[in-house]
Amino acid sequence: MGLLSSLPSHRRGALSGSEWQWSFLDVVWAVFLLAVVVFLALVFTPRRGDPLHATASRAGAGAGAVPPCPASEVDLLPCEDPRRSSRLSREMNYYRERHCPARGEAPACLVPPPRGYHVPVPWPESLHKIWHDNMPYGKIAERKGHQGWMKHEGSYFIFPGGGTMFPDGAEQYIEKLTQYVPLKTGVLRTGLDMGCGVASFGGFLLKENIMTLSFAPRDSHKSQIQFALERGIPAFLLMLGTRRLPFPSQSFDFVHCSRCLIPFTAYNGSYLIEVDRLLRPGGYLIISGPPVRWKKQEKEWDELQAMAGALCYKLITVDGNTAIWKKPAEASCLPNQNNFGLDLCNTDDDPDEAWYFKLKKCISKVSMVQEIAIGSIHRWPDRLSKPSARASLINNGASLFEVDSQKWVRRVSYYKTSLGVKLGTTHIRNVMDMNAFFGGFAAAIVSDPVWVMNVVPAQKPLTLGVIYDRGLIGVYHDWCEPFSTYPRTYDLIHADAIDSMIGDPISGTSRYTSHIPGVMVLCSSTLGCVQNSWAAAVAAVPTTLCYSAVCYGCDLFDVMLEMDRILRPEGTAIIRGSPDVIDKAVQIAQLIRWKAQVHDSEPKSDSTEKILVATKTFWKLPLTSQ
């Protein structure tokens, strides 16, 4: 009688009678009751994106291993999904940038290898050939074979080393550039190759001790960056569109574009301004191909020369369709008279902010220009072991640099001698450090036949500039999101202090750095999320996400699932963290088919943390699933 007695008297009579007659009030009341039921269902049903529900549902809640993804998802790119991108704006290539699924919407499954997958060809042989079945995509070979990019021979793809602007081979092209750019003297160490194709230019510079980070977007060829990484060449999936590239200012000793087709002077010169932000004082800009002396692009060529002149870049040479400029080693010459209206940014602009940060149409003011310019910074390899001027911007930075360097020499020795990690062998070529700080781990293995992608979490101190000053490479990233790379692209993934990369979704105070410059969100389980200024920010607290006014940390399961996606079969994961977090990591490792062992930290470390060393098993989908 509870519900019946709550109704108006005239409606109780209607219900108790033998005949029902609908009135207008009956309809209104029925709609109201239905709305109440739907509201209660929404409130008490766990949301798909709720991380408190995620571990139970996404990890299987003890129901066994995480299921494999369908065979159609062998090259799953959660943040570069063309199905999502096709609905986005084409303006400034916005649709080709990163656009990640909402929290909880990415598939909770293990990406399988393609049918016929082999353990990759080891370095340095992989520079010249890779297994065809690891990436059975022949479109580039068909379209670019005459330019020497790659060709299909038997069980392999072969890479002669050519490119559209250097069909006779990267080595010959590099020799041509050395007439104007000191590529073989140790003066230059870090390079950025924009629109790199299969990255032969960066691959052949490695023997000159030059570390070139090559990038290209996902495009109609589908797998340029995937081919580059399979070859063992540093590469990254990236598009220059509406945002700054995820690198610090003054980071690259040279920037190279070989028919990259970037309209540098379009959109009020936004793209050339971004190149200027990234290029170290005294560095070199090399553009080969359009619009340099290109038929029907005379206007664009004139504009490029004029804008480079407005930035006080010195034109060194125009050799055929290749133009080379040198950036001034002193502070910007702006403001000056120029037809582009170029001016310096306001003092509140931080040129190192580059995670989901919109491009600016002004030139960033930079500090320590002369101290870190080409010619002032140490030559390679001396710069690896000496703290740069940028380290001094961090409190007690020089001392921290030395302590960090010594710590990682000890730790790497322990990894090799006591934990059986195969660093220094042909088993490991592509390495990622998920929490790099000063790049000490990468520096400690620099003599091994590896390259390291140093990742500085976007919510942590911006130390990536120090890493580039050392002659190493890396990117900013937020590990609450998938990484911009193809599946099966790293042999070893290293995660130091995993606790600091995830948050506690139940208790404690955490932070979320918003995409609004200078604003952060302080979060706690009781207060929810409150916007605050950096001045009120708490120090060194875990990365978090805010969802529906409640604060949650990155989920360890999601982070390890992403590690599995980008780790090669039989690859190695090293995770360091507190005993409680490592215990959880062991459980997740079992769910994602890793073979894991837990070790104590190295002797004399005075640390209670544990080390998980895991191997990703080489499993395949049944033939009926492929």
Side-chain angles (χ1 to χ4, degrees), residues 229-251:
L229 288 162
E230 185 76 6
R231 297 175 70 188
I233 301 172
F236 188 58
L237 197 63
L238 187 62
M239 181 70 200
L240 181 55
T242 66
R243 309 172 189 138
R244 285 178 174 176
L245 301 182
F247 312 116
S249 66
Q250 308 174 96
S251 46

Side-chain angles (χ1 to χ4, degrees), residues 28 136 166 250 309 316 354 386 401 443 453 490 494 534 566 575:
V28 171
F166 43 93
Q250 308 174 96
I316 294 176
K386 298 182 183 299
F401 182 96
M453 178 67 85
Y490 286 89
H494 182 262
W534 281 109
I566 64 181
I575 302 175

Side-chain angles (χ1 to χ4, degrees), residues 246 481 527 546 569:
E481 298 183 3
L527 297 177
C546 280

Side-chain angles (χ1 to χ4, degrees), residues 342-362:
L342 298 178
D343 205 348
L344 294 174
C345 297
N346 296 329
T347 55
D348 61 353
D349 170 66
D350 183 350
D352 287 335
E353 288 281 358
W355 181 247
Y356 286 109
F357 198 98
K358 286 188 175 295
L359 290 175
K360 289 205 170 187
K361 297 177 181 177
C362 55

Side-chain angles (χ1 to χ4, degrees), residues 443-524:
I445 59 175
V446 72
S447 60
D448 294 340
V450 301
W451 69 273
V452 181
M453 178 67 85
N454 292 283
V455 181
V456 172
Q459 289 80 10
K460 292 200 170 187
L462 303 181
T463 56
L464 195 52
V466 177
I467 290 173
Y468 274 92
D469 290 345
R470 301 186 77 169
L472 306 172
I473 59 173
V475 298
Y476 295 123
H477 183 67
D478 181 346
W479 285 110
C480 293
E481 298 183 3
F483 193 76
S484 285
T485 193
Y486 285 87
R488 304 173 302 279
T489 47
Y490 286 89
D491 301 298
L492 185 147
I493 301 178
H494 182 262
D496 181 42
I498 189 77
D499 307 53
S500 70
M501 295 161 56
I502 60 175
D504 185 345
I506 300 174
S507 63
T509 299
S510 326
R511 78 178 185 187
Y512 168 63
T513 304
S514 74
H515 295 162
I516 304 172
V519 174
M520 81 173 347
V521 180
L522 298 182
C523 309
S524 75

Side-chain angles (χ1 to χ4, degrees), residues 285-358:
L285 172 60
I286 306 165
I287 298 179
S288 182
V292 179
R293 287 182 175 171
W294 207 262
K295 189 176 180 180
K296 297 184 180 180
Q297 293 199 28
E298 292 82 1
K299 179 176 180 291
E300 290 83 355
W301 170 225
D302 290 342
E303 289 177 346
L304 179 58
Q305 293 181 86
M307 188 169 178
L311 292 169
C312 296
Y313 282 34
K314 178 183 178 183
L315 182 61
I316 294 176
T317 188
V318 181
D319 187 340
N321 297 119
T322 299
I324 302 174
W325 290 268
K326 184 176 174 63
K327 180 177 178 177
E330 57 276 353
S332 173
C333 65
L334 296 175
N336 60 21
Q337 294 297 320
N338 62 81
N339 296 328
F340 297 90
L342 298 178
D343 205 348
L344 294 174
C345 297
N346 296 329
T347 55
D348 61 353
D349 170 66
D350 183 350
D352 287 335
E353 288 281 358
W355 181 247
Y356 286 109
F357 198 98
K358 286 188 175 295

Side-chain angles (χ1 to χ4, degrees), residues 77-152:
L77 291 167
C79 296
E80 287 84 9
D81 186 346
R83 293 166 293 190
R84 183 185 307 106
S85 301
S86 64
R87 302 189 295 269
L88 302 174
S89 170
R90 262 55 176 172
E91 180 68 16
M92 292 184 72
N93 286 311
Y94 175 74
Y95 75 110
R96 298 176 73 184
E97 295 179 296
R98 281 175 59 87
H99 300 285
C100 299
R103 186 173 174 83
E105 290 186 0
C109 55
L110 302 180
V111 178
R115 185 175 180 179
Y117 182 85
H118 304 265
V119 171
V121 174
W123 179 264
E125 189 180 2
S126 61
L127 178 64
H128 306 287
K129 71 176 185 180
I130 64 171
W131 291 108
H132 170 273
D133 288 348
N134 286 12
M135 282 172 297
Y137 312 121
K139 186 178 290 187
I140 298 180
E142 294 169 6
R143 293 185 178 182
K144 303 290 186 177
H146 66 287
Q147 296 174 354
W149 280 39
M150 55 186 284
K151 55 185 177 180
H152 183 192

